[in-house]
Amino acid sequence: MSQPSSPYSNYIIQAEPTLHNPDNLKAGEMLLNMGPQHPSTHGVLRLEVITDGEIITDVVPHIGYLHRCFEKHAETRAYNLTIPFVDRMDYLAAMNSEHVWAMGVEKMLGIDGQLPRRVEFIRVLVAELNRIASHFLAIGTYAIDIGAYTPFLWMLRDREHIQRLLEWVSGARMLYNYIWIGGLYYDLPIGFEERCREFIDYLQPKLDEFEDILLKNKIFIDRTANIGVLPLNVAINYGCSGPMLRGSGLKFDLRRVDGYSVYPELEFDIPVGQGIMGTTGDCWDRNYIRALECRESSKIIRQCLDHLETDCKRTPDFDPQAMCPKKIRPKEQELYFRAETPRGELGYFFRATGKSDIPFRCKGRSPCFSNLSVLHEISRGCMVADMIAIVGSVDIVLGELDR
C-alpha cells in the first residue's frame, strides 16, 4: 500500500533543486549529491554529479550556501568602513583582498602612485606572506584529499609561522583590517624585518623537502597527472585566472601585466604549467604552479625587506596614516580595478556619484566563481574518485565565491 506523499515534499524539492531530472536519466546513470556538508568540497558547495557506473558524465555546482552579502554591505558603508567586509570574502588571503580594495579607491581619489614608498613595500610584503600562507593551506588540504596526511601537518606548521607574523603586524589572526585607504593601520613592529628574514631563510629547505615528499611522490603523481586537464583555450573562454590559467600554460600575472604598486621594481618569474608529469593543465600542474609561486613570493619578500632596511627604513617621523583621507568622496565616475590574489584576478567595480562617501554600486569579481564554472568541462569522463582531486585543484573559497 503506497504511503501518502508529505505536504512538505514539494518544498523539499524546491529547496534542493537539481538541473537533471532523475526520471530522465539514461539506463545505468545515477544522480549523486556531493556536499554541501562534505570536507572535500572545501566549503559549503553542493555538487550534482551524474555518473554512468564509475564514470562522470556531468557535474553541476550549486552555490549560494554562504552568502556574505558583501556587495550590499559595501553599498551601505563608507569606503574605509568596508575593509572588514573585504577581509571576510577570501578569508585565507585577506591582505591581498584589502590591497586590491585600497588601490581601487585610491585610483578613484587620484592619489595612486603618491603613497610613501615604505607603505608600498610593506603592503607588498604582507600580501606576499599571505599568498604563501594561502598556497600552503591549498596544497596541504589537497594532500588530504588525495590521501596524504603528513604533508598537511607540515604545511600547517610552516603556515603557522606566517600567521604569527601577520598577527604581530595587525593584531588579528585572519581578518586583518591592516591595509587602509591611503596607508596602513600601523608601521611594522620593531624587529619584524629581522624575524621575517629568518623565516624566509628557514622556508627555503622546507620547500625543497615538501616538493620531494609530495609533488614527486608516485602515488600523488598517479592521482593527479593527466586528471582534470584544462586546455588553454577553454581556460581563456571561461575567464579562468591565477594558477588555473597559468597551469594551462599562459604566462599571465596581473602583477606583471598591470604593474601596480611597486611590483614593476621587483624581480620574480611567472611559472606556467609544462606537463612535466602528465598533460599541461592537469591537477598536478596546478599544484606545481602554487608550489613554485611560493618560491617566487619568497624572492619578492626578500627584495621588500632589502628596501625596508635601506632606502625605506623606519624613521621617527614616519606616519603610515599620513595620507589616509578623513573623508573619502570620489568624483562622479565608474571604475573597475583588478589585481592578482592567490586564486587569480580579484576585481572591484565602483560607481561613485560624487555626492557621497558611500558607493552607489559596488561589484566584486571573484576569481573562484570563474574558476569553478569550468568544473564540468574538466570532469567529464573522469572517475568519481577523481572528482575529489579535480575540485581540490581549483582551490575555491566559498566566502568569496558567493560574496
Side-chain angles (χ1 to χ4, degrees):
M1 186 173 178
S2 62
Q3 295 290 329
S5 62
S6 167
Y8 300 105
S9 59
N10 289 335
Y11 295 128
I12 295 174
I13 294 173
Q14 293 172 13
E16 295 291 339
T18 56
L19 180 66
H20 297 274
N21 188 336
D23 298 332
N24 298 333
L25 296 180
K26 300 175 183 177
E29 287 188 336
M30 181 169 55
L31 189 155
L32 297 175
N33 270 302
M34 183 187 298
Q37 302 298 335
H38 193 290
S40 292
T41 57
H42 293 257
V44 279
L45 168 70
R46 182 166 71 94
L47 299 175
E48 175 189 340
V49 185
I50 307 297
T51 65
D52 184 358
E54 282 287 319
I55 304 301
I56 295 170
T57 59
D58 198 15
V59 179
V60 182
H62 289 269
I63 63 175
Y65 293 87
L66 187 65
H67 276 310
R68 290 296 193 196
C69 298
F70 165 76
E71 292 169 4
K72 293 307 169 189
H73 279 309
E75 291 165 11
T76 60
R77 298 287 186 275
Y79 291 96
N80 54 332
L81 299 183
T82 306
I83 294 176
F85 296 104
V86 174
D87 285 334
R88 285 159 175 79
M89 287 174 62
D90 185 353
Y91 41 80
L92 299 180
M95 287 291 190
N96 301 86
S97 302
E98 291 176 14
H99 197 194
V100 184
W101 178 269
M103 289 189 296
V105 179
E106 288 161 5
K107 192 172 184 66
M108 283 200 296
L109 294 173
I111 62 173
D112 55 313
Q114 301 177 23
L115 272 60
R117 284 173 58 78
R118 181 170 175 84
V119 168
E120 295 282 14
F121 279 113
I122 292 175
R123 284 181 171 188
V124 172
L125 171 68
V126 295
E128 294 304 320
L129 281 171
N130 213 171
R131 190 184 308 274
I132 296 176
S134 175
H135 283 339
F136 275 9
L137 190 66
I139 301 170
T141 53
Y142 190 74
I144 288 187
D145 291 343
I146 300 302
Y149 195 70
T150 300
F152 168 73
L153 297 178
W154 286 9
M155 303 303 283
L156 249 65
R157 173 199 63 195
D158 295 335
R159 177 177 178 268
E160 186 64 24
H161 295 305
I162 301 177
Q163 295 296 98
R164 288 174 178 171
L165 286 171
L166 295 179
E167 185 177 5
W168 189 20
V169 168
S170 65
R173 182 171 172 80
M174 285 183 67
L175 310 173
Y176 306 109
N177 192 13
Y178 179 68
I179 298 178
W180 285 7
I181 296 165
L184 303 166
Y185 163 64
Y186 201 70
D187 195 4
L188 295 178
I190 295 175
F192 182 88
E193 294 92 331
E194 292 80 4
R195 187 75 61 84
C196 188
R197 196 179 290 276
E198 288 175 9
F199 168 71
I200 295 300
D201 291 339
Y202 155 86
L203 189 62
Q204 297 308 308
K206 299 298 179 185
L207 291 173
D208 297 333
E209 192 177 59
F210 144 74
E211 203 170 299
D212 289 336
I213 197 173
L214 185 65
L215 295 179
K216 296 179 181 178
N217 183 286
K218 186 181 186 305
I219 299 174
F220 185 83
I221 295 171
D222 290 345
R223 287 296 312 276
T224 57
N226 299 312
I227 301 297
V229 177
L230 175 60
L232 181 56
N233 63 323
V234 176
I236 293 172
N237 289 338
Y238 274 84
C240 296
S241 57
M244 284 282 287
L245 180 61
R246 292 190 288 275
S248 295
L250 183 62
K251 188 174 285 191
F252 185 87
D253 190 311
L254 294 176
R255 293 174 293 178
R256 277 280 182 253
V257 175
D258 288 356
Y260 55 88
S261 190
V262 290
Y263 281 110
E265 303 179 32
L266 304 174
E267 294 182 6
F268 61 97
D269 296 324
I270 303 172
V272 294
Q274 301 174 18
I276 297 174
M277 296 296 177
T279 307
T280 301
D282 57 15
C283 291
W284 190 90
D285 264 349
R286 289 191 279 276
N287 279 277
Y288 188 52
I289 293 302
R290 293 185 182 102
L292 293 180
E293 284 188 3
C294 291
R295 296 183 182 275
E296 299 306 315
S297 292
S298 299
K299 293 180 187 176
I300 294 173
I301 291 169
R302 283 188 185 279
Q303 294 172 69
C304 289
L305 291 172
D306 291 340
H307 283 283
L308 291 172
E309 291 177 330
T310 54
D311 56 309
C312 299
K313 63 183 178 182
R314 70 178 74 244
T315 57
D317 60 339
F318 173 69
D319 181 8
Q321 300 181 19
M323 290 197 65
C324 293
K326 297 292 184 284
K327 191 76 170 178
I328 300 173
R329 186 170 293 175
K331 297 178 181 178
E332 183 178 0
Q333 60 186 294
E334 291 183 355
L335 175 76
Y336 176 74
F337 189 87
R338 63 181 186 174
E340 190 76 27
T341 68
R343 281 153 197 86
E345 178 187 331
L346 173 63
Y348 294 110
F349 169 79
F350 302 97
R351 178 178 293 167
T353 62
K355 301 176 182 178
S356 173
D357 60 344
I358 299 174
F360 179 79
R361 180 74 176 98
C362 178
K363 171 75 168 66
R365 190 271 185 197
S366 164
C368 297
F369 185 86
S370 300
N371 291 346
L372 183 67
S373 67
V374 80
L375 185 65
H376 65 286
E377 293 278 4
I378 61 179
S379 300
R380 292 195 189 107
C382 294
M383 300 185 71
V384 175
D386 294 331
M387 185 77 248
I388 305 299
I390 295 170
V391 172
S393 73
V394 178
D395 186 23
I396 53 175
V397 171
L398 269 296
E400 182 184 84
L401 196 148
D402 284 343
R403 294 188 299 286

